[in-house]
Amino acid sequence: MGLEAAWNIRIGQMPAGPRNLISDVPGVTVGHCTLQDGETQTGVTAVLPHGGNLFQEKVLAASHVINGFGKSMGLIQIEELGTIETPIVLTNTLSAGTAYTALVRYMLAQNSDIGVTTGTVNPIVCECNDGYINDIRGLCVQEDHVMEALRRCGADFEEGAVGAGRGMSCHQMKGGIGSASRVASIEGKDYTVGALLLTNHARKDDLLIAGDPIGQRIPNVRLRDTDRGSCIIILATDAPLSERQLKRICKRAVVGLSRTGSYIGNDSGEIAIAFTTANRVPHYPQQSTVPLCMLHDDHINTIFRAAAEAVEESVLSSMLHAETMTGFKGRRLFSLSEFINM
């Protein structure tokens, strides 16, 4: 449920899509596998850019490292080739290797040519450290959990303390998975920009909601001690963009983070990945050239604004949808929803 309907919070000026989720971009789906058992509070979230074979039909993409305190996998090839050829998997820091192996198996099962008659594959795995309320040393995420998240991908999905977001904290309160979308109208045609965030960053006192410094009114009740964590930002659109333009979209993600009060701390890794479903690159081209369509830069400001607004709302949505939780060593993180009327 969107913030305006549930909490009467209006973020930005642009209209949201029908779900106000990243899945408002046609073909994009999301799935979770949540592990919640005592001190084990973690999970996996998967994002599919489209419902077909991603290795055979890649999407144009870009990434941008806002602050490089992180252990993400697959960004080098996105940077070099400008494409994504697997789902994007999110999990906790010490489970990134397991997620990578599972994603390789998932792609091998779909493509018998990988590593035999063609090259290998570039899995995309991103992570945040949920060790504050999850026993991260327990290495509880298994390959089957990654497969379950991939199987569960759909257009309707939960936000908050679910999937990879189960053990995350944001602004020293409960964080997790947040998502939002915006509809950008350009010369009579509507395009959708969607965001999905894994939030694990920032300080309580800096928290802003639509410009209101609410964080300064929230009491210091058993908060996580510092701005240490990370934020993974996934941006999707059906607007026809080049990988150069997608890189520019990624760079605007920081606007949404800043509008919620993040200062991008030294120990916090903020990484953005953006892709478009409008331009596809076949693995086996039928001819030597690939036709691509590109929005003129003179019309891209509306897409910039849409991305910033969707990121801003996604941060708040992750916190408001997450419930208050107790986990590792009895540590407790409070939901922003308990303080929203202060």
Side-chain angles (χ1 to χ4, degrees):
M1 182 181 293
L3 301 191
E4 189 167 16
W7 289 282
N8 196 32
I9 297 171
R10 172 69 177 169
I11 299 299
Q13 303 171 11
M14 300 180 69
R19 297 183 184 88
N20 202 9
L21 297 170
I22 193 173
S23 52
D24 287 329
V25 178
V28 177
T29 55
V30 175
H32 303 300
C33 177
T34 305
L35 307 182
Q36 44 184 317
D37 182 13
E39 295 196 334
T40 299
Q41 302 291 336
T42 191
V44 179
T45 295
V47 180
L48 269 64
H50 65 68
N53 188 314
L54 279 159
F55 185 75
Q56 300 295 332
E57 193 177 13
K58 310 174 198 304
V59 293
L60 282 193
S63 64
H64 175 59
V65 177
I66 301 167
N67 193 62
F69 198 91
K71 290 83 180 170
S72 293
M73 301 180 181
L75 300 185
I76 293 174
Q77 190 165 310
I78 293 178
E79 190 73 12
E80 182 68 22
L81 299 184
T83 59
I84 286 175
E85 59 185 14
T86 75
I88 301 166
V89 170
L90 312 177
T91 190
N92 75 64
T93 305
L94 297 187
S95 297
T98 298
Y100 183 96
T101 301
L103 195 46
V104 167
R105 294 188 194 280
Y106 176 84
M107 298 305 296
L108 293 180
Q110 292 185 0
N111 300 275
S112 59
D113 52 342
I114 291 176
V116 180
T117 58
T118 190
T120 55
V121 66
N122 183 45
I124 310 301
V125 179
C126 297
E127 50 72 38
C128 291
N129 185 345
D130 61 9
Y132 183 73
I133 60 169
N134 171 53
D135 178 15
I136 196 169
R137 289 174 61 93
L139 303 178
C140 294
V141 172
Q142 303 297 313
E143 291 182 30
D144 286 348
H145 299 134
V146 180
M147 297 300 187
E148 183 176 343
L150 289 162
R151 286 194 298 270
R152 289 183 173 181
C153 282
D156 295 309
F157 60 90
E158 291 183 85
E159 299 175 79
V162 293
R166 180 64 188 174
M168 303 298 170
S169 57
C170 188
H171 286 274
Q172 299 178 274
M173 292 173 283
K174 189 69 194 76
I177 295 291
S179 190
S181 69
R182 291 294 184 269
V183 177
S185 296
I186 300 174
E187 292 197 331
K189 184 171 178 57
D190 287 345
Y191 300 105
T192 301
V193 178
L196 182 137
L197 270 62
L198 178 62
T199 64
N200 195 52
H201 65 290
R203 298 172 63 250
K204 174 194 73 72
D205 289 350
D206 298 327
L207 177 62
L208 302 170
I209 297 181
D212 176 20
I214 185 174
Q216 297 175 23
R217 301 194 298 273
I218 296 174
N220 293 319
V221 284
R222 298 185 69 182
L223 297 168
R224 182 176 178 174
D225 53 359
T226 58
D227 177 6
R228 310 181 83 176
S230 289
C231 185
I232 304 300
I233 304 154
I234 309 299
L235 294 164
T237 185
D238 57 358
L241 302 173
S242 69
E243 57 268 56
R244 173 187 61 82
Q245 292 174 317
L246 289 164
K247 169 77 79 172
R248 300 183 73 200
I249 301 296
C250 285
K251 292 178 179 179
R252 268 62 182 186
V254 73
V255 176
L257 295 183
S258 297
R259 287 177 63 86
T260 56
S262 175
Y263 283 83
I264 319 298
N266 175 68
D267 294 336
S268 187
E270 279 73 21
I271 294 170
I273 296 173
F275 64 84
T276 175
T277 60
N279 283 321
R280 310 284 180 90
V281 179
H283 186 72
Y284 296 109
Q286 299 300 308
Q287 53 190 19
S288 60
T289 59
V290 177
L292 300 174
C293 185
M294 186 185 79
L295 186 72
H296 196 285
D297 282 343
D298 283 352
H299 297 284
I300 204 169
N301 280 344
T302 308
I303 304 295
F304 287 165
R305 177 180 288 274
E309 287 192 11
V311 169
E312 180 182 0
E313 182 161 348
S314 294
V315 172
L316 301 173
S317 191
S318 75
M319 300 177 71
L320 287 166
H321 281 96
E323 70 272 22
T324 295
M325 278 179 45
T326 302
F328 185 54
K329 295 186 176 181
R331 293 169 179 164
R332 190 169 178 81
L333 286 171
F334 286 86
S335 171
L336 175 60
S337 62
E338 297 196 24
F339 309 106
I340 194 63
N341 294 318
M342 295 191 68

